[in-house]
Amino acid sequence: MNEIFLLKLGEIVLKGANKRQFESRLRQNVRRRMKPYGNFDVYILQSTVYVEPQDENADVDGAWEACRAIFGVVSLCRCRPCEKNVDAIYEAVENYLGEDLDCAESFKVESKRSDKQFPLTSIQLSQEIGGRLAEAHPSCRVDVHHPAYTVFVEVRDFAAYVHGPAEPGAGGLPTGVGGRAMVLLSGGIDSPVAAYMIAKRGVEIEAVHFFSYPYTSQLAKDKVVELARLVTRYCGKMTVNVVPFTEIQEAIRDNCPEEFFTLIMRRFMMEISQRIAQGDGCGALITGENLGQVASQTMEAMAVTGAVVDIPIFMPLVGMDKEEIVTIARKIGTLETSILPYEDCCTVFTPKHPKTKPTLGQVIHAEKALDRQALIENALNSIEKIKVSYHDESLL
């Protein structure tokens, strides 16, 4: 029989009466993720998603990598199904895992029997299979307490399944069960990580990026689109709304006190992002803000910039150390792109001495010379929408 995947559910199993809704969404997500890799049957039994290739043309390795990035899965394993009898189970273990056992110093067999009609208990099955394996692999001793390698046997409804140690899954909740949110995506390290962390809670992600040509280059925009593409490995396809921001930044430079430049710029970003978010059915904004990291991310500054919106602002990185953020960026594959030396609009017209403890009244007074609504409408009327999927070619 062919190799299949078993994807174990995480906190979905705790959802009570809503569990079926979460499972249905996860099954849909897995089926969609498998489409680029061939014909797979996807079904759920006993809090486990079964992913089974239906023909020899399926890209099993590609599908496996995709499964590792699906939210809602706490662990996963590649396994060999077989008939539910001891001889078939032993033969499957030997054929599928024999080489791993030859390379290990010690092993044990761990069995689970969800099919209570199976004649042996879990302990009896482990002893029987373990005894046969010990005779077949004399160089690999039995160690039930601290084995170097564990053989797993699961006797389930339709078949028995044998596999080695499971790998950690992406965790979280299935994409789509937590609504939609709009991430303010810059070219830095933080915002892609923020998008990933909120997506992990089952939220569909859209993105907005502010582009200040000619102060920022086409490469800077391409870098952001590539970061979005990398995040879609986890959250699925998204749209990047590229907002022309040059007119607004030049108006701020020409009409506002320098110490307030960044604060006023971020207030425009937040208000424009909310307008786009509401038009796209998003119920919240996501930012990569981190308390105290830069002058515009003090408690007072974040209160002022957030005052222009009335939908929730999610800041998943707000209390994290930079090294913690970098670790996640490296894990999800965005770090190398984030550190490419292409400037974004946040570096344009940076004040020498930014205001770190502003009041809302001070900032409103500082921006009173601007026609805010006209500038916002001009920007909204010139948005470029770029649809992004993980299987797109990189622009970099």
Side-chain angles (χ1 to χ4, degrees):
M1 299 176 74
N2 292 328
E3 182 181 53
I4 73 169
F5 309 151
L6 299 182
L7 316 183
K8 304 299 179 70
L9 276 56
E11 58 185 281
I12 294 175
V13 300
L14 306 176
K15 294 302 178 182
N18 294 325
K19 179 182 175 183
R20 190 175 299 276
Q21 174 188 344
F22 283 79
E23 288 183 343
S24 176
R25 179 54 69 103
L26 178 58
R27 185 175 62 251
Q28 293 173 23
N29 293 347
V30 176
R31 285 176 174 166
R32 184 172 60 252
R33 296 288 188 91
M34 293 300 100
K35 283 184 178 179
Y37 305 102
N39 186 17
F40 289 81
D41 189 17
V42 178
Y43 52 96
I44 296 181
L45 290 171
Q46 298 174 326
S47 299
T48 300
V49 183
Y50 294 71
V51 181
E52 185 172 353
Q54 296 299 290
D55 54 57
E56 297 297 327
N57 295 322
D59 179 2
V60 175
D61 290 336
W64 172 252
E65 288 302 312
C67 285
R68 295 171 68 183
I70 296 175
F71 290 132
V73 176
V74 69
S75 67
L76 62 164
C77 59
R78 301 171 74 144
C79 67
R80 176 69 58 82
C82 63
E83 294 181 10
K84 293 190 288 184
N85 65 71
V86 173
D87 290 339
I89 292 170
Y90 169 72
E91 183 177 351
V93 172
E94 188 61 51
N95 291 337
Y96 191 56
L97 304 175
E99 291 185 3
D100 292 337
L101 287 167
D102 286 334
C103 297
E105 293 183 357
S106 61
F107 82 99
K108 77 170 182 177
V109 177
E110 187 170 311
S111 301
K112 292 183 179 179
R113 184 190 60 139
S114 57
D115 178 5
K116 301 307 180 184
Q117 300 301 312
F118 189 76
L120 300 182
T121 66
S122 297
I123 293 175
Q124 289 170 337
L125 179 58
S126 294
Q127 290 172 338
E128 179 64 28
I129 300 300
R132 295 192 189 189
L133 292 174
E135 291 182 4
H137 302 271
S139 64
C140 186
R141 60 185 174 82
V142 175
D143 183 347
V144 297
H145 298 294
H146 303 288
Y149 188 82
T150 301
V151 172
F152 292 89
V153 178
E154 301 187 39
V155 181
R156 292 173 167 263
D157 286 350
F158 297 146
Y161 303 87
V162 302
H163 60 86
E167 294 188 17
L173 295 172
T175 301
V177 299
R180 292 163 60 87
M182 180 76 66
V183 61
L184 281 71
L185 193 61
S186 71
I189 296 172
D190 298 345
S191 55
V193 174
Y196 162 83
M197 292 182 68
I198 296 300
K200 189 173 182 178
R201 300 311 302 161
V203 177
E204 292 184 39
I205 303 295
E206 300 292 346
V208 58
H209 173 65
F210 295 90
F211 183 51
S212 294
Y213 184 81
Y215 301 106
T216 56
S217 66
Q218 179 65 38
L219 282 172
K221 184 170 82 170
D222 291 346
K223 172 184 173 181
V224 170
V225 174
E226 172 63 6
L227 287 171
R229 187 189 73 83
L230 293 171
V231 173
T232 62
R233 180 189 177 208
Y234 295 89
C235 67
K237 63 184 179 180
M238 73 168 75
T239 298
V240 181
N241 297 272
V242 180
V243 179
F245 206 53
T246 307
E247 181 187 14
I248 291 173
Q249 288 195 287
E250 290 179 339
I252 295 170
R253 177 199 61 190
D254 295 340
N255 295 283
C256 301
E258 182 182 0
E259 63 181 336
F260 293 105
F261 280 2
T262 303
L263 291 167
I264 296 171
M265 175 192 74
R266 291 189 62 80
R267 281 166 59 83
F268 272 98
M269 289 180 172
M270 297 297 284
E271 187 166 351
I272 291 170
S273 297
Q274 176 177 255
R275 295 275 294 274
I276 300 170
Q278 291 174 328
D280 288 353
C282 297
L285 300 179
I286 306 166
T287 73
E289 289 170 294
N290 180 250
L291 187 61
Q293 182 170 245
V294 294
S296 63
Q297 294 177 14
T298 64
M299 193 177 300
E300 295 85 354
M302 287 192 287
V304 166
T305 57
V308 294
V309 302
D310 52 17
I311 61 175
I313 303 171
F314 296 153
M315 304 177 186
L317 314 186
V318 70
M320 298 177 68
D321 292 337
K322 191 65 176 186
E323 190 54 42
E324 293 175 300
I325 300 170
V326 168
T327 298
I328 298 173
R330 186 177 290 111
K331 169 189 167 184
I332 66 176
T334 57
L335 180 63
E336 293 303 317
T337 300
S338 291
I339 62 178
L340 291 174
Y342 308 133
E343 294 183 339
D344 61 40
C345 69
C346 294
T347 63
V348 177
F349 309 137
T350 302
K352 292 181 180 179
H353 303 289
K355 191 78 170 176
T356 58
K357 294 187 177 182
T359 65
L360 182 58
Q362 288 174 332
V363 178
I364 291 174
H365 179 75
E367 65 186 20
K368 67 179 182 179
L370 301 173
D371 188 344
R372 285 183 58 87
Q373 293 310 310
L375 290 168
I376 289 171
E377 290 299 330
N378 287 344
L380 289 171
N381 290 333
S382 303
I383 291 174
E384 177 187 7
K385 290 184 175 287
I386 303 174
K387 295 188 180 298
V388 181
S389 169
Y390 186 65
H391 295 283
D392 296 339
E393 281 191 32
S394 171
L395 296 175
L396 300 177

